[in-house]
Amino acid sequence: MDKNQMQNDIAARVALELQDGQYVNLGIGLPTRVADFVPNGINVCFHSENGFIGLGPTPKENEADDQIVNAGGALVTILPGGAFFDSAVSFGMIRGGHIDVTVLGALQVAENGDIANYMIPGKMVPGMGGAMDLLIGAKKVIVAMEHTAKGSPKILKNCTLPLTAKGVVSLIITEMAVIEVVKEGLLLKEVRNGFSVDDVIAVTEADLIVKELVS
């Protein structure tokens, strides 16, 4: 599949993890697509750190309002009952423990749940931003990312890039697998369609615990 299809596939799988009534933050990039795939009958209130609650799916061309954008600058919709507020209120929600789940991308994830998602040394970056608050403040952290970067593993024994937070990741969802961070390490919960256990192991530097497998 092409990159766009791959990212939609990952986002759709993430959406299956969400539960009715949750407050869910969506990080920039791939995670924002999750709002397009919420299953019928599940009501989730999406939060954007730049001051929105009640985000809806990606707007159709004739519905877009160029003054309503998420934290990454992408056009979004607001559902009935949604609200706008300043950054102090937005981060008060995050730091106050009112966000049930945050879905973020990552450059690397370690087998103990460490995450690096903001900086590649030598490259210009805008900074860590709200990720550090979300990773500590949210009750559950789901990483939504492609399994490799140019063929190199992103799921490692130890992160080699600067850390955003230590030991916070709960679940990793890629185009290849669903992996849970548990006390013993990384538990391979599901192998996605089109891949095998051996395929996943081959591009994962960290050791995987293979049991209770769904494919």
Side-chain angles (χ1 to χ4, degrees), residues 52-63:
F52 299 152
I53 195 79
L55 294 183
T58 303
K60 297 177 182 177
E61 189 172 344
N62 62 346
E63 297 176 339

Side-chain angles (χ1 to χ4, degrees), residues 58-127:
T58 303
K60 297 177 182 177
E61 189 172 344
N62 62 346
E63 297 176 339
D65 182 334
D66 60 10
Q67 297 188 59
I68 305 177
V69 297
N70 63 23
L75 296 169
V76 293
T77 56
I78 302 295
L79 299 177
F84 305 82
F85 35 79
D86 62 20
S87 291
V89 173
S90 182
F91 278 83
M93 292 182 64
I94 297 168
R95 295 170 183 172
H98 304 293
I99 301 298
D100 295 302
V101 180
T102 186
V103 183
L104 298 174
L107 298 169
Q108 296 177 343
V109 180
E111 61 186 6
N112 65 348
D114 291 352
I115 179 172
N117 78 337
Y118 83 102
M119 181 181 181
I120 299 176
K123 292 192 175 184
M124 291 293 291
V125 293

Side-chain angles (χ1 to χ4, degrees), residues 7-8 46 52 98 131 144 150 168 172 178 186-188 200 202:
Q7 292 194 351
N8 281 339
F46 287 115
F52 299 152
H98 304 293
K150 298 180 180 180
V168 294
I172 306 164
V178 177
L186 296 178
L187 176 61
L188 182 60
V200 177

Side-chain angles (χ1 to χ4, degrees), residues 121-214:
K123 292 192 175 184
M124 291 293 291
V125 293
M128 193 180 294
M132 61 181 182
D133 299 272
L134 288 161
L135 289 166
I136 299 301
K139 298 172 186 174
K140 181 176 183 178
V141 175
I142 298 177
V143 168
M145 67 177 187
E146 295 177 29
H147 206 95
T148 62
K150 298 180 180 180
S152 297
K154 296 173 68 176
I155 304 172
L156 310 173
K157 292 182 181 296
N158 297 286
C159 292
T160 59
L161 295 173
L163 294 183
T164 315
K166 293 184 176 183
V168 294
V169 176
S170 307
L171 196 67
I172 306 164
I173 298 179
T174 75
E175 78 279 10
M176 298 183 72
V178 177
I179 300 169
E180 183 180 1
V181 182
V182 296
K183 184 178 180 181
E184 296 78 17
L186 296 178
L187 176 61
L188 182 60
K189 296 285 290 184
E190 179 181 327
V191 174
R192 311 292 309 284
N193 288 337
F195 298 99
S196 68
V197 173
D198 288 341
D199 291 335
V200 177
I201 291 173
V203 290
T204 306
E205 185 202 80
D207 295 328
L208 296 174
I209 304 166
V210 182
K211 61 181 181 180
E212 302 176 12
L213 191 59
V214 177

Side-chain angles (χ1 to χ4, degrees), residues 37-56:
F37 297 101
V38 179
N40 291 332
I42 300 295
N43 294 307
V44 175
C45 198
F46 287 115
H47 169 271
S48 184
E49 68 186 68
N50 59 322
F52 299 152
I53 195 79
L55 294 183

